[in-house]
Amino acid sequence: MKKIYLLFCLAMFLFQGNSQSVAHTRCSNLSKGINLSNWMEAYWNSTWPIPNTYTRDFLVEMKNAGMRSVRLPICFALVTDTLPPYHVDTGSAVFALVDSVITWTHELDMNLIIDNHHQWTLTDSTWRPVQPRLAHLWSVLAQRYNYLDPEKYYFEILNEPANISNDSLNILFTTVIDTI
């Protein structure tokens, strides 16, 4: 009986290790990184988005300093209509800038985290009307960037959600993920 129990424990350990290996590997691949802040999420700036806040040369310097990952906060809410059908303006300068950063990180063999940042006010009483808009945005992003290598490019559905319960957030994120 003791041998069966030990085999069961070993099997559970191995199964659990394999089920988390992809996530753990991807996280460990991120290594050191830099956040490109006050650029594409800086909606308060009257000239948003500011075109040349960061450049390829800056990323070269960061790579030479040992950075392997770039986090890119973006205020996608400002290019997504608030009324159905929730048009996403992919012709916006924001998307041209995002595409440039994708090109730079690809050329430099760096990881990129595309972070949906700011302007998504969610609470337990307000998240349901936001759900279809957020899901539509992510369906557009998934279609636009479906060619990117998931081992190098990461997507953050929503930056630091607060004032919303985990139960509500799980429903919201499940809907978004199912849409993708």
Side-chain angles (χ1 to χ4, degrees):
M1 188 64 160
K2 195 173 189 180
K3 286 183 184 181
I4 292 173
Y5 178 73
L6 289 174
L7 286 174
F8 174 76
C9 289
L10 178 62
M12 291 305 293
F13 173 76
L14 292 174
F15 175 75
Q16 187 176 33
N18 287 336
S19 68
Q20 294 184 13
S21 64
V22 172
H24 286 142
T25 300
R26 287 183 179 168
C27 285
S28 66
N29 287 342
L30 290 174
S31 189
K32 294 179 186 174
I34 184 157
N35 188 50
L36 302 184
S37 59
N38 293 316
W39 186 20
M40 286 189 247
E41 90 288 6
Y43 65 90
W44 54 87
N45 190 306
S46 62
T47 59
W48 180 88
I50 307 164
N52 296 314
T53 302
Y54 294 99
T55 63
R56 184 185 188 283
D57 290 341
F58 176 79
L59 290 185
V60 168
E61 289 177 33
M62 293 301 101
K63 173 139 185 171
N64 291 339
M67 303 297 162
R68 291 181 49 199
S69 298
V70 175
R71 181 172 179 263
L72 184 61
I74 306 155
C75 191
F76 284 119
L78 293 182
V79 295
T80 306
D81 286 349
T82 56
L83 298 173
Y86 309 111
H87 173 75
V88 178
D89 183 6
T90 57
S92 161
V94 169
F95 280 94
L97 292 169
V98 170
D99 293 347
S100 292
V101 175
I102 289 170
T103 299
W104 302 338
T105 55
H106 175 73
E107 292 170 353
L108 297 170
D109 192 31
M110 297 176 83
N111 301 306
L112 178 62
I113 303 165
I114 295 174
D115 166 39
N116 181 27
H117 212 85
H118 294 313
Q119 301 293 307
W120 298 92
T121 305
L122 301 173
T123 66
D124 283 324
S125 61
T126 64
W127 69 270
R128 287 189 190 278
V130 175
Q131 185 175 13
R133 180 175 177 233
L134 186 64
H136 180 70
L137 165 66
W138 278 104
S139 71
V140 170
L141 294 175
Q143 184 176 13
R144 182 177 179 96
Y145 298 118
N146 68 356
Y147 66 95
L148 295 175
D149 179 358
E151 301 295 327
K152 303 288 291 175
Y153 297 90
Y154 303 78
F155 295 87
E156 189 174 344
I157 293 173
L158 188 64
N159 182 66
E160 301 171 4
N163 304 317
I164 183 171
S165 69
N166 286 339
D167 289 342
S168 296
L169 200 55
N170 284 334
I171 295 168
L172 177 66
F173 283 178
T174 299
T175 300
V176 170
I177 290 167
D178 286 349
T179 301
I180 296 170

